[in-house]
Amino acid sequence: MGKYFADIIYFGERPVFRTAPAPLYLLSKKVREENFKVVLTGEGADEIFGGYNIFKEAKIRKFWSNNPESKLRSKLLKKLYPYIFQRQKIIQYS
């Protein structure tokens, strides 16, 4: 896959900081080779629908700033990141 990074940078018109564009480039290349003009993917849906926790956390922080007295403040991050607030069993080795 590394051999395609020069093309990915060229066609993307910017440096690549992560490898996510590579599979999309290869899919686009294959679609073009098969003479299709359009293909639908799920690319970008997470950003639109707030699918990543970082986007959800941004909404929570905005809510916090707009509602500093809300009783929901402490519950929102707990709902988003329940694994952080779970009690961990401590394993003792003898």
Side-chain angles (χ1 to χ4, degrees):
M1 192 175 313
K3 67 182 180 179
Y4 296 105
F5 281 119
D7 288 341
I8 293 166
I9 293 168
Y10 175 80
F11 291 116
E13 299 179 347
R14 61 187 166 148
V16 176
F17 295 106
R18 35 187 209 106
T19 58
L24 188 59
Y25 170 79
L26 293 174
L27 174 64
S28 300
K29 187 173 176 0
K30 183 67 175 170
V31 166
R32 183 68 179 151
E33 288 170 1
E34 298 294 326
N35 292 317
F36 286 97
K37 301 294 182 190
V38 175
V39 66
L40 300 176
T41 72
E43 188 73 20
D46 290 331
E47 289 81 358
I48 292 171
F49 298 114
Y52 293 118
N53 283 347
I54 192 72
F55 297 117
K56 293 175 185 175
E57 187 175 321
K59 289 180 180 180
I60 288 171
R61 291 183 185 278
K62 184 174 181 179
F63 174 84
W64 283 1
S65 66
N66 293 332
N67 303 283
E69 302 299 320
S70 173
K71 301 208 184 287
L72 293 176
R73 286 177 57 111
S74 63
K75 296 177 183 178
L76 292 172
L77 280 183
K78 194 172 187 178
K79 183 174 179 164
L80 184 60
Y81 301 115
Y83 51 88
I84 293 175
F85 298 94
Q86 290 177 352
R87 287 193 163 191
Q88 300 294 320
K89 287 185 179 180
I90 299 173
I91 300 173
Q92 295 180 343
Y93 295 98
S94 1

